[in-house]
Amino acid sequence: MQGYLKLVERKGSALFWSLTMRAFSRHFQPALGLRYHVKDYRYEDCTHYISTADLAGLTSLLKETIGTQSDYWEWYLNRCRELGDQLVHTAQRLGASIPAGTDVQRFQEGFESFTEATKNVMPFLLSTSIAERLVEEQLRHAIQQESTVAAGIVDGATVLAELRASAAPNAPLEEMRHCYQLAWTINDDQRLRETVLRLSADAFIEELRVLRPELEREIASHVEQYGWLRTYAYRFEPMRQADLIERIRTVIRLNRIPRWERPRQGVDLRSILSREPSDELRRWASLIEQLVAVRFYRSTVHWRADTLARPFFHALAASQNMSRNDLVFCTEDELLAGLQGGRFPDLCELRLREQNWYNMRLLDDVIALETNAAPSMTASRGLPLTLKGSTASMGRVVGRARIVLSAEDRRDVREGDIVVTTMTTPDFMDVLEKCAGIVTDEGGILCHAAVISRELNVPCIIGTGEASHMLRNNMTIEMDATQAEGIVNCVHDAEETDGGGVL
Amino acid sequence: MTASILLDSEIDGNFRSAVGGKAAVLGELMRHDLAIPPFFVIRAEVFAKILKNLSDQECCAGESARLLRQILDVALPDDLTMSVKQGLSHIRGSDQEAVAVRSSAVEEDGETASFAGQFETLLGLRTMQEIAAAVRTCWASLMSERAETYRRLRALKRSPHMAVIVQRLIEPESAGVLFTANPVTYSAAEMVIESTFGFGAAVVQGVSTPDVFKVDRHSESISSHTLGSKRRMCVMEHDGPVSIADTPEHLRTTYSLSDAEVLQLVQLGRRIESIMRCPQDIEWAIRRGQVHILQSRPLSARQSV
């Protein structure tokens, strides 16, 4: 669209995004301590756009007033986390004490406190890309200064790339690591190991409460912290404790130890620059790292809050004789109106929205709804993606997808990546060393590559048909190769988090 | 025969250090009257000697890449060339018949490490020149990057003993692999066959998705048939090399094995299994109704952690 820049892509719950746009248009300036009124923005094809003129105005305002002040950015980051924590806290509170079915008052209060908390944190979460850009400039500037002084030129871009790569967290991978840690702890204890393999998941949790209460608490907190990963952006129910126990059982039974054991190291500025960095440089570098982390925090805060508040929304929906899935396709106003005794939109209307991925456009106070035909699998970025194939080598792993179609692609594979390719050949030895799993379009379970995968304990799913087309680089995918039919799920599309956009 | 080569009839299971794992098994199976295409083997010590000469000449004896290039250029000793010619007359009727040249390393096809696909196999060679070049390529593959990586990952030391099989090439209608136990679930009750039209290389190299048959061992009944897309296959042009080509449309939608052939393979599999005394990974080819066994090795054990 000419004259406009992509703001951020909408996905998932209409409820959340109606809140987002409200927040953006109304709360941006007070929240960030800035006065700027966005005059012109549009919404089309699941994407929000801001006019280039508005963006220029906003950027120069930020640059002039606070761009150079690292103090401001520290305040910004702290405030962002504070408000994010408040949102999660509110969600926790809601999920923990659910009003009775008839207590409309309390439902309304709960809902309003949730939307309030979301609106407060939204402007921060939306603006991290711009923040990054501004801080980057400062960092580059600082590097330049020091480079000329020390007569050694270091490319700012290299430093930035390093910082970004090390700061980008990978929640699914962390979840997996933690799950394995729990599995080993249980495995190392003879009695626990025998018990977990023998009893049902629920019975085992009971046993654990008696035998090792601290472990039971760890399991509960794992589910609380990571349960949202299973929801595929609001659509499905989160992980329960029993699910986690099942996975631990699988890990123990298959006796699999993954290769990505090393925890990520922080970035060593000193070695990149080949000298001691100045305090100022350190400060800007640390800000970049934190901003990148916050960029990812954006979606995790959403999803965590949604997961924690889920029981509340289930109950709210039930009190109005609706299902939660119907509820998420109401707008904020419709929901409040409905609670206050007015009418909710027709069920068929809501189902239609869900089916056709309704887009919402905010025109001042009027929310207009438009239908789009359900987008095709490759065009849509929001639908959860599942592929099926045959298991050639057993295991279960989560990692970043890497599409490999040439020898050059093979060289780009990093440790812990899941390689996705048309078919494997014996040349894949160098990749087998590093990858956490292999997914192929073609092939059989008796070919050489399958034999080697089994010997090296690398999970392998073959014959998916189109994995190399459907999956994309940097998607976080999960391979479930524990049955004869192997399943590959896209857990998280990195491009969605980045937004690819400006704010 | 001369010291450089051994004929198939002279080999049995005890000859592993002389002729490598692959050849020793083939010789042993031949003794049990299984249909193996005729072959002879260039002994492992021939290459060991050549390697030693090269290493002695060069100061950087251990350096893989350089050695690799040297091996590809080395001249075959005269007595070897003569022996090979004699061997060829033993395995084929005329100079126009194509042969396969296959690595048979002492370290491969073992119970702990299969080295599956790590060394070279070349198909469709006819002239002495082509065959000599193929032999060198097989020798060089001992030190290929992928073989080295495999060794490193399996924590194995390099064993510089590589024999080379020269075998009559069977041009099959269909070919593939048979595992006498399910390698994924380790269920001994279920055998798995993957097959395609043309040369079995299409299955072992993972060229395209083959037909899959699962058979219950005890009842010898086929529990599942899955039609593979078989988009590409390996074919040999008349007087030409073996290469990968698109599978004709009508073949893609046809099973490459009849039920009767599947059961025939299963019975052969059980026989081989009892001879070798453990579950087997068997490569086979069918031509004009006759099943030929091309290779058999133990189902590789899952690396214990």
Side-chain angles (χ1 to χ4, degrees), chain B residues 231-252:
Chain B
R231 266 189 272 247
R232 311 265 278 158
M233 61 189 275
C234 289
V235 289
M236 182 163 71
E237 300 144 42
H238 184 61
D239 282 352
V242 174
S243 59
I244 302 178
D246 289 337
T247 308
E249 193 60 51
H250 70 281
L251 288 182
R252 287 191 219 177

Side-chain angles (χ1 to χ4, degrees), chain B residues 49-71 73-74:
Chain B
K49 214 185 296 186
I50 289 177
L51 198 59
K52 186 165 187 309
N53 287 343
L54 286 174
S55 306
D56 287 346
Q57 283 167 29
E58 294 296 315
C59 302
C60 34
E63 212 208 278
S64 295
R66 189 131 176 213
L67 261 180
L68 224 131
R69 279 196 297 280
Q70 300 277 358
I71 293 163
D73 287 330
V74 81

Side-chain angles (χ1 to χ4, degrees), chain B residues 163-233:
Chain B
V164 180
I165 300 171
V166 181
Q167 185 171 41
R168 182 198 293 173
L169 184 66
I170 301 293
E171 200 179 345
E173 279 94 49
S174 49
V177 184
L178 157 68
F179 273 43
T180 61
N182 186 311
V184 180
T185 65
Y186 286 86
S187 158
E190 189 175 70
M191 295 198 179
V192 184
I193 297 176
E194 288 188 342
S195 72
T196 187
F197 293 104
F199 290 92
V203 175
V204 300
Q205 305 278 9
V207 164
S208 65
T209 310
D211 298 327
V212 186
F213 303 89
K214 296 206 174 139
V215 183
D216 176 78
R217 160 203 293 267
H218 302 295
S219 61
E220 286 199 355
S221 61
I222 303 176
S223 54
S224 77
H225 302 68
T226 313
L227 190 68
S229 62
K230 303 192 293 290
R231 266 189 272 247
R232 311 265 278 158
M233 61 189 275

Side-chain angles (χ1 to χ4, degrees), chain B residues 109-170:
Chain B
D109 287 3
E111 278 191 25
T112 42
S114 68
F115 275 87
Q118 300 311 306
F119 304 129
E120 287 288 345
T121 285
L122 297 103
L123 306 178
L125 309 147
R126 291 177 186 79
T127 67
M128 195 55 213
Q129 209 174 8
E130 286 171 349
I131 293 170
V135 169
R136 285 190 209 104
T137 309
C138 285
W139 282 337
S141 71
L142 188 68
M143 275 163 250
S144 66
E145 212 180 293
R146 69 169 181 247
E148 293 283 85
T149 309
Y150 180 82
R151 283 187 197 97
R152 186 172 68 243
L153 292 177
R154 298 301 312 274
L156 302 163
K157 277 189 128 77
R158 187 205 296 163
S159 159
H161 299 297
M162 167 77 84
V164 180
I165 300 171
V166 181
Q167 185 171 41
R168 182 198 293 173
L169 184 66
I170 301 293

Side-chain angles (χ1 to χ4, degrees), chain A residues 230-457:
Chain A
R230 290 297 146 125
T231 60
Y232 295 135
Y234 323 116
R235 307 230 356 140
F236 301 120
E237 290 307 306
M239 179 187 355
R240 305 160 306 145
Q241 287 193 23
D243 296 324
L244 179 60
I245 302 295
E246 267 313 317
R247 283 168 58 218
I248 289 174
R249 259 215 280 263
T250 308
V251 170
I252 291 176
R253 230 188 266 124
L254 290 178
N255 201 15
R256 168 157 171 72
I257 295 180
R259 251 183 289 287
W260 28 262
E261 285 175 53
R262 266 179 301 125
R264 204 182 309 116
Q265 312 282 5
V267 166
D268 185 2
L269 267 183
R270 203 177 169 288
S271 68
I272 300 173
L273 297 169
S274 313
R275 67 179 174 283
E276 202 61 47
S278 71
D279 280 340
E280 188 182 334
L281 213 158
R282 269 197 206 283
R283 211 170 23 238
W284 290 115
S286 145
L287 279 173
I288 288 279
E289 280 183 294
Q290 290 178 69
L291 282 169
V292 170
V294 163
R295 188 170 12 115
F296 289 87
Y297 180 64
R298 175 165 74 200
S299 55
T300 70
V301 147
H302 271 177
W303 294 359
R304 274 196 73 195
D306 169 73
T307 305
L308 289 165
R310 186 89 46 127
F312 173 82
F313 281 101
H314 273 303
L316 200 167
S319 77
Q320 305 293 321
N321 281 326
M322 293 170 75
S323 84
R324 181 193 156 270
N325 277 346
D326 297 325
L327 206 73
V328 293
F329 285 95
C330 295
T331 68
E332 180 195 350
D333 287 340
E334 285 173 346
L335 205 150
L336 280 172
L339 276 179
Q340 281 156 8
R343 280 193 64 234
F344 280 97
D346 261 338
L347 274 186
C348 2
E349 164 75 13
L350 294 173
R351 300 269 157 80
L352 202 59
R353 290 181 195 178
E354 182 178 8
Q355 218 177 312
N356 292 319
W357 284 89
Y358 264 71
N359 302 311
M360 299 198 326
R361 191 156 75 183
L362 226 61
L363 297 166
D364 295 325
D365 282 315
V366 177
I367 299 175
L369 300 164
E370 301 165 286
T371 326
N372 274 352
S376 70
M377 207 45 146
T378 39
S380 150
R381 302 256 179 112
L383 292 172
L385 194 52
T386 297
L387 296 164
K388 295 191 182 163
S390 305
T391 296
S393 172
M394 287 185 106
R396 190 166 180 162
V397 71
V398 172
R400 187 190 33 215
R402 199 86 218 148
I403 315 295
V404 172
L405 300 171
S406 67
E408 219 173 79
D409 292 340
R410 284 211 305 270
R411 281 195 281 276
D412 287 336
V413 174
R414 295 218 287 264
E415 180 142 344
D417 282 350
I418 294 180
V419 166
V420 179
T421 183
T422 48
M423 64 199 184
T424 53
T425 61
D427 293 332
F428 269 71
M429 277 316 299
D430 49 353
V431 146
L432 275 171
E433 192 174 10
K434 290 183 270 183
C435 71
I438 298 192
V439 176
T440 72
D441 293 346
E442 306 260 12
I445 63 175
L446 306 186
C447 69
H448 289 321
V451 172
I452 305 276
S453 301
R454 288 191 286 271
E455 281 184 27
L456 297 176
N457 241 339

